[in-house]
Every structure is written in structure tokens, then in C-alpha cells.
């Protein structure tokens, strides 16, 4: 027994020494891969050992990780595709704010996949048809190829060995936000790709590739609006002409696509109304005869933090929060946003600025946090490639793991 212990200790020391001798980026990547695998194993063991036979039987065994309603898997894709059937997604007669809150650029891409999917009576029916299945297979195929190309470019640019890059890509796909987006088949995956392309090429020696990066960030803004915060990095670095081009491209890709839909630019007012209703109104459903909401389980924004405090210490129900509670939540969100923007400009290194910009996309919008948390992949890759390994970077790495 003592001999075994003596053998194990030198082996562990050699492993630690070999790990510490690696370049800093490879150490971070290996730590992330190891942590991701441990979290995944824990999840599988926990669900299999402790939840078997419970009412909430392991979701992954039934085909869904986040949703007990398995009929809802992939439905962000199919529901949005059905929105554009008649090319009139923004105006709903008799239901102000009841139309689509998606920017028009997303809906134009959805129309392409809708044409591939062909006719169907409903979004659920579309998911079951051969052409509907073909459309989502093509959707994931395009995303997989583009994502793999981005990862290969990152690995080549930063000198990351391909096996380690492949392990990193797989582990990123297994993070909670990515599993969530894949399970929903949400078009935010395309916006995330556009953001990654921006950071891959925005400082490239080729003028064409730099321009491509600016267009990519503008396309991300045209898909989801809040990636616009990353353009502030150009202002911070006094790249004013680049910032101006991104701004012009973003306005063009956000506004001009409205003309392809029935009602033309008149849809802008309906879109803003729909977006306001979507952002402010929590999903309400009835459970055992009482109104309930899932706002707490999805929203982790700065505003939601204040609303939770009012519920915990003020004795309010979320659905009966007074107007001053919502006003306080809005005020705190504004203060948080101002602090994050100031932090971006005051940050001494680029990783910190990118981290704060990504935090803004996470803390300011109020949809499901898993959607916005996917943008945290951007500072994670920056940490691998540009972080200095100081205390702030280590703390940020731990936060990003969770």
C-alpha cells in the first residue's frame, strides 16, 4: 500500500509539473475541458441516481434537457419559420404588441428555411414533415460547418494544437447555454457566429477581412440588437472610422429588411411595440387554479435582481409588484448599464473590456438568461488567448465556468 502511494505522488507531481510547463492558453483550455467533463459526469450521475422514478424523471433520457414538454424541442426554429408564412409577422389585428419581436433580418433567413420546409398546417406539423426535417438538418449543418471553420481559424491564429481545439469545441457545445440554444434551435446561434467572426478578423492585416468583420458584427446586431455593445470596443480603441462603418452597417441591416415584409417600414412601429411587450411582460400561466409565472427561473438581469428583492423582503407576489418596484428595477438596470459601459472604457486590458461588454448583454436584456449567457463564450475565448493570468482573469474564469 505504501509503495502504491509513493508511486502515485511522483506521478501526480509530474502531471502538475507538465501542466504548469504548458503555455498559459493551453492551461486554461485544459482546465476548461476538464471542468466541463466533470460537470457533465456529475449531471449524468446525479440525474440517473437521484431523480429516477421521480415526477421529473431525467429529461435527457426522454429527449430534452431543459423542457419537460418534449413537443417544444426545436420550436424556436419552427415557430419563427411559421411567422413568415404570409410575410406579415409584425401586425396582429386586435392584439397590440402580439406580433413578432424578431428583427427583420432574422425573419428573412427564416423565410429561406420556411421555403425549404414547405407547407404545413402548424409549426408542430412542420417539424414532422420530411421537408421540415430537412430544413432543420440544413440549419444545423450550416451552423456546424461555420462553427468548425471559426474554431480552426482560432486554433491556427493562436497556435492551439488541433486535438485540444477539437476538445474545446466539443466542450463548448456541451455548456448549458449552447445545449439550450441547440435544443431550442434558436437563431441566436447565427448571431453568436457573426460575433465570433468579428473578433477573428477585426484586426486582420487584410482590409477585406476587416470589413467582413464589421459587416459580421452589424449582422449580429441585425439578428439580436444587443451585440451592438461590442462596437464600443472600437470607440475605446479610438477606431472611430471603423465604429462609424459598423454603426451604418447595423442601421442598414436592421432597418432596410423591413421593406421585404407586408407594410414595409411601417412595421418598425409594430416591431418596437412587440419588443416592448415581450421584454416587459412575463409569461403567465395557470397552475392549480392560480396564476403563475416562470420569470424567476429565466430572468437573471439587473432589473430582475431588484424585483426578486422586493418579492423576498417586501412580501409581494411577482405578478402584483407595485409600479415603484418596477421603476426601481429599471433605475438599477440603467445604473448597471452605465457602470458597465464606463468600465469598458476604463478597463486597462482588452480581456476586461470584452468581459464587461459581454456582461452587459447578460445583465441588461431580460429574456431567458440561457440565451444571453451564450455570448459569454466570447470573453472565454479571449481569456484563452489574451488574458494575462492575473487574479481578475482567474476569478473571471471561475465565473465563466459556472
Amino acid at each position: 500500500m505504501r509503495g502504491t502511494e509513493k508511486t502515485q505522488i511522483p506521478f501526480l507531481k509530474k502531471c502538475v509539473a507538465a501542466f504548469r510547463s504548458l503555455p498559459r492558453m493551453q492551461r486554461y483550455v485544459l482546465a476548461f475541458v476538464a471542468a466541463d467533463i466533470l460537470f457533465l459526469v456529475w449531471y449524468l450521475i446525479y440525474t440517473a441516481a437521484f431523480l429516477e422514478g421521480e415526477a421529473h424523471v431525467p429529461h435527457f433520457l426522454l429527449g430534452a434537457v431543459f423542457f419537460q414538454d418534449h413537443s417544444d424541442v426545436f420550436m424556436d426554429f419552427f415557430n419563427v419559420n411559421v411567422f413568415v408564412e404570409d410575410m406579415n409577422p409584425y401586425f396582429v389585428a386586435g392584439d397590440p404588441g402580439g406580433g413578432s419581436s424578431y428583427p427583420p433580418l432574422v425573419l428573412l433567413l427564416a423565410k429561406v428555411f420556411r421555403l425549404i420546409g414547405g407547407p404545413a398546417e402548424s409549426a408542430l406539423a412542420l417539424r414532422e414533415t420530411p421537408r421540415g426535417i430537412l430544413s432543420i438538418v440544413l440549419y444545423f449543418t450550416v451552423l456546424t460547418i461555420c462553427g468548425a471553420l471559426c474554431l480552426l481559424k482560432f486554433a491556427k491564429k493562436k497556435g492551439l494544437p488541433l486535438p485540444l481545439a477539437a476538445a474545446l469545441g466539443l466542450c463548448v457545445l456541451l455548456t448549458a447555454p449552447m445545449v439550450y440554444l441547440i435544443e431550442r434551435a434558436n437563431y441566436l446561434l447565427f448571431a453568436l457566429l457573426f460575433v465570433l467572426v468579428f473578433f477573428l478578423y477585426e484586426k486582420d492585416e487584410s482590409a477585406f477581412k476587416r470589413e467582413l468583420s464589421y459587416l459580421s458584427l452589424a449582422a449580429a446586431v441585425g439578428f439580436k440588437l444587443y451585440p451592438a455593445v461590442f462596437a464600443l470596443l472600437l470607440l475605446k480603441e479610438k477606431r472611430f472610422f471603423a465604429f462609424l462603418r459598423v454603426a451604418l452597417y447595423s442601421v442598414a441591416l436592421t432597418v432596410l429588411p423591413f421593406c421585404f415584409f407586408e407594410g414595409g417600414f411601417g412595421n418598425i412601429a409594430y416591431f418596437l411595440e412587440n419588443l416592448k411587450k415581450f421584454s416587459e411582460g412575463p409569461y403567465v400561466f395557470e397552475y392549480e387554479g392560480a396564476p403563475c409565472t416562470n420569470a424567476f427561473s429565466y430572468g437573471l438581469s439587473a432589473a430582475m435582481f431588484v424585483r426578486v428583492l422586493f418579492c423576498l423582503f417586501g412580501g409581494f407576489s411577482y405578478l402584483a409588484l407595485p409600479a415603484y418596484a418596477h421603476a426601481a428595477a429599471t433605475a438599477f438596470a440603467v445604473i448597471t448599464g452605465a457602470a458597465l459601459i464606463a468600465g469598458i472604457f476604463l478597463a486597462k486590458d482588452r480581456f476586461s473590456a470584452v468581459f464587461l461588454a459581454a456582461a452587459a448583454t447578460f445583465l441588461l436584456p431580460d429574456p431567458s438568461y440561457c440565451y444571453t449567457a451564450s455570448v459569454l463564450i466570447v470573453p472565454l475565448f479571449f481569456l484563452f488567448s489574451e488574458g494575462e493570468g492575473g487574479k481578475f482573469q482567474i476569478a473571471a474564469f471561475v465565473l465563466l465556468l459556472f
Side-chain angles (χ1 to χ4, degrees), residues 69-393:
D69 182 3
H70 307 126
S71 65
D72 209 32
V73 174
F74 298 150
M75 291 311 292
D76 279 355
F77 176 78
F78 290 107
N79 284 329
V80 174
N81 293 357
V82 169
F83 286 165
V84 294
E85 172 66 25
D86 58 359
M87 294 301 283
N88 185 26
Y90 294 108
F91 175 74
V92 179
D95 185 13
S100 173
S101 59
Y102 281 79
L105 190 61
V106 183
L107 299 184
L108 284 180
L109 180 60
K111 183 64 177 179
V112 174
F113 285 108
R114 183 70 175 96
L115 293 172
I116 295 170
E121 294 180 358
S122 66
L124 283 173
L126 180 62
R127 191 181 65 171
E128 306 300 325
T129 65
R131 286 180 61 179
I133 293 171
L134 173 64
S135 69
I136 197 167
V137 169
L138 289 174
Y139 166 87
F140 280 120
T141 300
V142 171
L143 284 168
T144 301
I145 292 172
C146 293
L149 290 174
C150 286
L151 183 62
L152 287 173
K153 173 65 179 178
F154 173 81
K156 183 178 179 180
K157 191 174 180 180
K158 302 299 181 181
L160 186 66
L162 285 181
L164 200 54
L168 172 62
L170 180 61
C171 286
V172 165
L173 287 177
L174 292 174
T175 57
M178 293 302 292
V179 172
Y180 187 91
L181 289 178
I182 291 168
E183 187 171 289
R184 300 300 299 153
N186 192 279
Y187 281 101
L188 176 56
L189 285 167
F190 276 99
L192 185 59
L193 268 179
F194 287 130
V195 172
L196 294 177
V197 170
F198 166 71
F199 281 111
L200 279 174
Y201 294 111
E202 44 104 17
K203 288 190 175 181
D204 199 274
E205 294 178 359
S206 166
F208 172 78
K209 290 180 180 178
R210 289 198 304 273
E211 208 65 30
L212 176 65
S213 76
Y214 304 151
L215 278 168
S216 294
L217 182 56
V221 175
F223 265 62
K224 285 295 179 180
L225 300 183
Y226 47 79
V229 70
F230 290 114
L232 296 178
L233 298 170
L234 300 173
L235 273 184
K236 171 184 170 59
E237 296 166 1
K238 297 181 173 58
R239 296 156 66 187
F240 301 116
F241 191 41
F243 174 81
L244 179 61
R245 298 209 296 283
V246 170
L248 290 174
Y249 292 150
S250 297
V251 171
L253 291 178
T254 303
V255 174
L256 293 181
F258 279 110
C259 70
F260 291 95
F261 297 92
E262 184 179 327
F265 293 119
N267 286 310
I268 295 175
Y270 298 129
F271 165 68
L272 294 174
E273 186 177 41
N274 300 337
L275 187 63
K276 183 174 184 291
K277 182 177 180 180
F278 174 78
S279 301
E280 293 183 350
Y283 175 66
V284 179
F285 57 96
E286 189 173 292
Y287 179 71
E288 295 184 350
C292 299
T293 178
N294 62 354
F296 288 151
S297 58
Y298 285 108
L300 289 180
S301 66
M304 182 58 71
F305 172 73
V306 173
R307 295 186 187 110
V308 168
L309 291 181
F310 271 98
C311 291
L312 284 176
F313 301 108
F316 296 106
S317 160
Y318 183 86
L319 295 176
L321 281 174
Y324 65 81
H326 290 293
T330 301
F332 184 70
V334 171
I335 293 170
T336 301
L340 288 171
I341 291 171
I344 291 171
F345 286 98
L346 295 174
K348 295 181 179 180
D349 60 273
R350 201 153 195 258
F351 165 74
S352 300
V354 172
F355 181 84
L356 292 171
T361 70
F362 183 73
L363 293 173
L364 300 183
D366 210 9
S368 167
Y369 72 91
C370 266
Y371 288 122
T372 52
S374 63
V375 185
L376 296 178
I377 290 170
V378 175
L380 183 67
F381 274 86
F382 257 87
L383 180 64
F384 294 152
S385 59
E386 296 191 18
E388 297 175 357
K391 291 181 179 179
F392 176 76
Q393 284 80 6

Side-chain angles (χ1 to χ4, degrees), residues 54-78:
E54 299 290 334
H56 45 296
V57 65
H59 297 167
F60 73 94
L61 296 178
L62 301 176
V65 177
F66 287 96
F67 291 91
Q68 294 184 40
D69 182 3
H70 307 126
S71 65
D72 209 32
V73 174
F74 298 150
M75 291 311 292
D76 279 355
F77 176 78
F78 290 107

